[in-house]
Amino acid sequence: MENLFAFVIGGLYATALFMMLRRSIVKLVIGLMILSNAANLLIFTGGGLVRGAPPLIPEGLYEPVGPIADPLPQALILTAIVISFGVLAFAVVLIHRAYEVIGADDINEMKSTDS
């Protein structure tokens, strides 16, 4: 199962880099979204794909019994989702403003403007 996730993550990274290298700024933002999803999936897979109980310690013991789900990757992914949503919202507003000023979606036309 982890090999499948490795190929999916690699495909997502490749797709994200391909989209980010396009001349359209909208495709750049779509690539940024795919890149953040690939990073989240990488963190999730790196934490281990284990179906387990919540990490609760029974009374009188010092460690959980049996396989447990690791809460750290889940917390990191939730934080990354919030951050990537904020970056995406900022990028969409920035793109909208740039399109209003320049009137083009092409990144090369944005470089040659004096506005």
Side-chain angles (χ1 to χ4, degrees), residues 1 7 13 60 62 79-80 108 114:
M1 189 68 171
F7 285 116
Y13 273 113
Y62 292 107
T79 306
N108 289 339
D114 291 331

Side-chain angles (χ1 to χ4, degrees), residues 51-74:
R51 285 185 180 241
L56 301 176
I57 300 174
E59 194 171 325
L61 296 176
Y62 292 107
E63 60 184 32
V65 179
I68 60 167
D70 189 10
L72 182 63
Q74 297 172 16

Side-chain angles (χ1 to χ4, degrees), residues 79-101:
T79 306
I81 289 170
V82 171
I83 292 170
S84 65
F85 180 73
V87 169
L88 176 65
F90 176 72
V92 167
V93 170
L94 190 64
I95 288 169
H96 179 65
R97 181 67 182 138
Y99 186 76
E100 282 181 352
V101 171

Side-chain angles (χ1 to χ4, degrees), residues 14-89:
T15 304
L17 289 175
F18 177 76
M19 293 292 285
M20 291 173 74
L21 291 174
R22 302 290 90 199
R23 289 175 51 173
S24 170
I25 195 133
V26 174
K27 290 180 184 177
L28 176 81
V29 171
I30 292 171
L32 186 66
M33 288 185 335
I34 294 172
L35 185 71
S36 67
N37 287 329
N40 290 340
L41 194 57
L42 180 67
I43 292 169
F44 184 69
T45 306
L49 299 174
V50 177
R51 285 185 180 241
L56 301 176
I57 300 174
E59 194 171 325
L61 296 176
Y62 292 107
E63 60 184 32
V65 179
I68 60 167
D70 189 10
L72 182 63
Q74 297 172 16
L76 290 173
I77 290 171
L78 283 174
T79 306
I81 289 170
V82 171
I83 292 170
S84 65
F85 180 73
V87 169
L88 176 65

